[in-house]
Amino acid sequence: MKIFTTIADVQAQPRGKLRVLVPTMGALHKAHGELIRIARAAAGKDGEVAVSIFVNPLQFESGGDYERYPRPEKPDEEFCRKAGVDFLFCPSPAEMYAEDRSVFVEEFSLSKALEGKSRPGHFRGVCTVVAKLFNILAPDAAVFGEKDFQQLAVVRRMVRDLNFKIEIIAVPTMREDDGLACSSRNRYLNLKERKQAAVLYKALRAAANASGKLAGDLVARARKVIGEAPLARIDYVELVDAETLQPVEMAGPGSVLVLAVFFGKTRLIDNIRLG
Ligand code: PAF
């Protein structure tokens, strides 16, 4: 596995092979392993799988968890090696951002709902870093997890509107045995919080299995299940259209139930398609 920390070194590499990128912020776990597996399948044995590890300061709101975000560099490197990654890019913040940077990439529609309301500036940070990674690594395809449902929609919109010639491959959410969506942030949960966090998937499934279709009823049902966990504090539970991310009144083809819930200081997100 080749490891690069500078943009100049990446861009000095000869190209020719199909390259599939898995952008990450590190603290790699089995869901990243799945993204890498899908990337390998897309790249084929002659292509190359590139992983970027960069904890992007721009996408953390002030007072957020940027400083405490886990950075297990050596274990992450080992994880990539074992997963058969060809090319690892782990730049420093100074390598990625000039001190006097003054250009950002912002999506102005899909970004405004849901996460965008709770985390102003978050998607501007995501779009800016993903656009930079696309320019630096010039992949033919890039792989993103469906757990970050809104991120996926925003990145797809950016690719469309800025004409990146990059295929975006979506990978279904990987879950722990009790249904909790795998996330690097799960490691912040203490034992009690971790146990109660299983309620999130239970709530999504309760709504998905409901016989009614009215958004109000489905959201109420999910909220009731989440209410069973005394440590849970709901940020939002909404039924939205998967493409526009606008609220819908009825579950149907293309609707998705999305939620964000705090356990202590840790904010977890998840979603399920309905209809
Ligand atoms: O999903 C993530 O890990 C990050 O938002 C991403 C896409 C790597 C950009 O920093």
Side-chain angles (χ1 to χ4, degrees):
M1 181 175 76
K2 294 184 191 156
I3 303 179
F4 299 93
T5 55
T6 72
I7 296 167
D9 284 347
V10 169
Q11 295 188 329
Q13 286 297 300
R15 279 301 304 268
K17 292 183 178 178
L18 190 78
R19 181 179 289 168
V20 182
L21 171 67
V22 182
T24 82
M25 296 207 301
L28 303 177
H29 50 71
K30 66 178 178 185
H32 293 110
E34 178 65 2
L35 302 184
I36 293 170
R37 193 184 68 74
I38 299 289
R40 169 55 65 203
K45 66 174 172 28
D46 297 328
E48 62 185 2
V49 173
V51 168
S52 60
I53 297 183
F54 178 62
V55 184
N56 174 30
L58 253 53
Q59 70 188 76
F60 290 77
E61 52 282 18
S62 61
D65 57 353
Y66 176 67
E67 299 300 339
R68 75 169 179 143
Y69 199 85
R71 291 166 175 81
E73 288 170 18
K74 282 294 160 200
D76 277 354
E77 197 181 302
E78 209 32 49
F79 185 101
C80 288
R81 212 181 292 282
K82 284 202 181 125
V85 170
D86 300 298
F87 188 116
L88 179 60
F89 178 51
C90 7
S92 66
E95 180 67 14
M96 286 294 276
Y97 295 119
E99 252 177 49
D100 61 348
R101 65 182 176 271
S102 53
V103 175
F104 298 87
V105 180
E106 189 159 1
E107 192 284 329
F108 281 94
S109 172
L110 306 175
S111 304
K112 299 301 163 198
L114 307 171
E115 291 300 285
K117 274 194 203 142
S118 303
R119 306 180 65 189
H122 171 68
F123 286 114
R124 179 166 112 135
V126 171
C127 286
T128 301
V129 80
V130 172
K132 284 169 71 73
L133 291 168
F134 284 178
N135 283 330
I136 295 165
L137 293 151
D140 299 285
V143 180
F144 292 84
E146 284 182 348
K147 180 181 76 71
D148 295 297
F149 188 79
Q150 188 175 10
Q151 169 171 282
L152 182 60
V154 169
V155 168
R156 281 192 196 284
R157 180 64 64 91
M158 179 187 79
V159 163
R160 185 197 78 179
D161 286 0
L162 296 185
N163 307 99
F164 282 105
K165 199 167 166 278
I166 297 173
E167 184 195 349
I168 300 300
I169 301 172
V171 177
T173 303
M174 185 153 235
R175 299 183 179 281
E176 303 294 350
D177 290 345
D178 62 358
L180 180 65
C182 297
S183 162
S184 304
R185 290 191 164 92
N186 292 351
R187 64 181 74 186
Y188 297 153
L189 299 168
N190 66 31
L191 278 178
K192 272 193 189 154
E193 292 166 345
R194 170 63 191 83
K195 202 160 172 225
Q196 293 189 22
V199 81
L200 301 184
Y201 189 53
K202 200 174 152 201
L204 292 174
R205 302 227 3 127
N209 294 331
S211 48
K213 298 270 175 241
L214 280 178
D217 294 345
L218 298 176
V219 167
R221 191 165 177 148
R223 282 182 165 268
K224 187 161 178 277
V225 176
I226 297 169
E228 290 168 10
L231 296 175
R233 187 163 52 84
I234 296 177
D235 184 357
Y236 62 75
V237 182
E238 283 191 42
L239 185 69
V240 298
D241 176 83
E243 284 200 5
T244 64
L245 302 183
Q246 289 305 302
V248 292
E249 284 178 8
M250 301 275 284
S255 62
V256 53
L257 189 70
V258 288
L259 54 77
V261 175
F262 283 96
F263 286 85
K265 281 190 182 158
T266 308
R267 188 168 173 282
L268 302 176
I269 58 173
D270 203 349
N271 66 80
I272 197 166
R273 280 198 181 254
L274 301 184

